[in-house]
Amino acid sequence: NAASESAALTVSVSLSATRPNVNAVLETGGVITGVMTAADTHAPLPGAIANVSSATNGSYVGSAYADANGYYQTPSLPAGDYKVSFSAGPWMAYLDEWYNHASSLDAALTVTVQASGVISNVNAALDRGGSISGWTFDALTAVLLNGVHVSVHHATTASVVREADSNNWGFYQVNGLASGQYKVQFSKDGYWTRWYSDTLDFAPALTVTVTAPNETPFTNVSLRRVLYTYLPLVTRGANMP
C-alpha cells in the first residue's frame, strides 16, 4: 500500500517458483469536478482542459476535458492537496488561469481531496484575451503571403506565448493574449525570418502592446525571399597547384 515506486516493498522471485500473497487493496480515491465557461458570454467551453498539480511540488497529476456542457471530472486522486489550472484548449481566444481566478500556481486556492468522495464546484470562468493581427506580404511583389508562421513572444523573457499562421488571404490573428508587451516573429520557407517591424533579431524588434480583450491590428510584415547563388564545382586536376 505504498504511494510510490521508491516506497514499495521489493518482491523477490525464484526461478520456476510462484511468489504468493502479493496482494493489494485499492482505494476508491477522490475526484474533483466543476464547470468551465466563458466569462464574457457565460457559455460552456467544451474541450477546455482542467489540469491537476500537486500543491506540494507543482508536479502534474492528471487532467480532464470539459464535455458539451463545460462539465469536467478528474480521474480518481489519492488523498492530498492539489491545485487546478484551466486551459482554454481549442477556445484559443480565452486566457488560461488557476483556481480561483488566479494567475499562478502559488496564488491558486488549494483543493483538498479525501480518500473518497467528490469535491465539486471547482469552476472556472475564463476571460477573453486580447489579440494581435495583421497582413503578411512579399516584399518584392507586394503579393499577400499565406502560410506565414507567426509567433508571439514575451517582450522581456522572449518565451513563446501563442502562435498562428496567415490564411489564404495573407491575414493572421493571434488570440488569447493577456494584457502586456510582446514581440512578433514571422517565418516562411524560402523567405528570411523577420521580427516586427523588419528586423532580423529579437532585441531591436518593436514592442507590440496588447490590452485584453482588445485587438491590436495592422501588425504587418513584408518578407524578403532568400536568394541562392550556385557556383560551378571546380575539381583540382593532377597538375594544378
Side-chain angles (χ1 to χ4, degrees), residues 1-11:
N1 200 26
S4 66
E5 180 183 357
S6 59
L9 292 179
T10 300
V11 179

Side-chain angles (χ1 to χ4, degrees), residues 49-54 57-65 75 82 85 105:
I49 309 165
N51 296 302
V52 181
S53 302
S54 166
N57 56 26
S59 62
Y60 171 79
V61 177
S63 59
Y65 290 85
Y82 299 95
S85 64
L105 182 144

